[in-house]
Amino acid sequence: MENKNTDPKEVYTEYNEKFDKKLMIDHDYDGIKELDNPPPPWLMWLFYFTVIWSVWYLAWFHWFDMGRLQEADYAHELEEAAEKYKVTAMDEETINILTAEEDLNRGSEIYKKSCVACHGDAGQGGIGPNLKDADWIYGSEIKDVFGVIKNGTDKGMTSFKSLGDEDILKVSSYVLKKL
Ligand code: HEC
């Protein structure tokens, strides 16, 4: 290189002339100067994009309420799950015993799977009390039986809440109708 110039000011002046560009900004603060040296275009475009995106986001979610924010989305998913798994709670005071054969069959299925171990295959009792006779510790009405199966007792009867109210009602009906 022929250029032996080491004074930065002159180097910049040369550069500006050569590329017909003004690299040094005129602004001078106590001798400190600033270069006109913006970030590369792709970075600037990324930045503009985030600005536009934020305005869109504000409008979509907050001004016009078009989208669902986290909380609303969560509530929506719970609703969908409740619909899908039918976990809507039944009111124990107003439930009625089921008599349809298919409901009682379903009740029988559940009984065979979850209850025989303690109450015997015909409800004759074992670890748990007899469910055939007319003696009831907690009452013989559908709501009593439903309540015991759903909530369990502290003397050894497990809570079967996880069955869901519909299945609890079916097995309760089975116990009362068929055993
Ligand atoms: C781990 C053993 C066990 C299993 C499994 C079990 N039970 Fe029980 N169950 C008991 C015991 C023990 C009692 C008595 C609880 C008490 O006295 O508080 C009882 C009480 C009951 C009662 C109340 C009886 C009364 O005289 O009031 C009903 C109804 C009943 N169970 C139904 C069921 C059904 C239906 C299932 C299956 C979904 C089931 N149980 C599964 C142990 C069990």
Side-chain angles (χ1 to χ4, degrees):
M1 274 222 290
E2 294 156 42
N3 191 352
K4 301 268 174 340
N5 205 339
T6 49
D7 178 11
K9 238 181 183 161
E10 284 173 30
V11 171
Y12 282 122
T13 316
E14 249 173 51
Y15 177 93
N16 287 345
E17 278 163 7
K18 192 169 169 195
F19 294 100
D20 191 24
K21 192 179 169 204
K22 222 165 165 317
L23 200 58
M24 188 79 80
I25 297 172
D26 285 336
H27 174 240
D28 188 329
Y29 196 81
D30 281 353
I32 299 170
K33 296 196 127 202
E34 205 187 332
L35 285 180
D36 181 12
N37 194 15
W42 66 267
L43 192 58
M44 292 307 285
W45 281 112
L46 192 64
F47 174 66
Y48 298 143
F49 175 71
T50 60
V51 173
I52 295 166
W53 179 272
S54 69
V55 174
W56 173 84
Y57 185 95
L58 256 175
W60 183 265
F61 285 105
H62 294 282
W63 296 336
F64 303 117
D65 264 343
M66 309 276 279
R68 281 193 295 264
L69 285 169
Q70 269 182 21
E71 266 174 55
D73 204 34
Y74 178 65
H76 178 77
E77 274 181 28
L78 282 188
E79 267 172 38
E80 275 184 349
E83 177 62 29
K84 189 169 167 198
Y85 298 107
K86 296 231 168 52
V87 288
T88 39
M90 288 180 180
D91 180 0
E92 280 164 42
E93 296 304 317
T94 59
I95 51 174
N96 289 314
I97 192 162
L98 301 171
T99 50
E101 205 57 36
E102 58 181 56
D103 291 337
L104 296 177
N105 285 342
R106 171 76 186 134
S108 159
E109 256 171 46
I110 298 165
Y111 186 87
K112 285 202 188 88
K113 212 171 95 198
S114 313
C115 321
V116 278
C118 296
H119 292 284
D121 52 5
Q124 73 275 23
I127 299 168
N130 184 316
L131 299 177
K132 287 167 79 169
D133 59 14
D135 290 337
W136 294 93
I137 310 167
Y138 296 98
S140 64
E141 287 191 40
I142 182 72
K143 67 169 199 244
D144 306 323
V145 173
F146 182 94
V148 171
I149 299 171
K150 179 168 179 180
N151 302 316
T153 74
D154 41 18
K155 284 214 223 96
M157 171 65 191
T158 347
S159 157
F160 282 89
K161 208 170 258 171
S162 58
L163 283 177
D165 283 3
E166 301 219 353
D167 275 351
I168 295 175
L169 184 55
K170 284 174 190 167
V171 72
S172 307
S173 306
Y174 170 79
V175 166
L176 288 175
K177 280 270 165 194
K178 297 280 180 172
L179 293 183

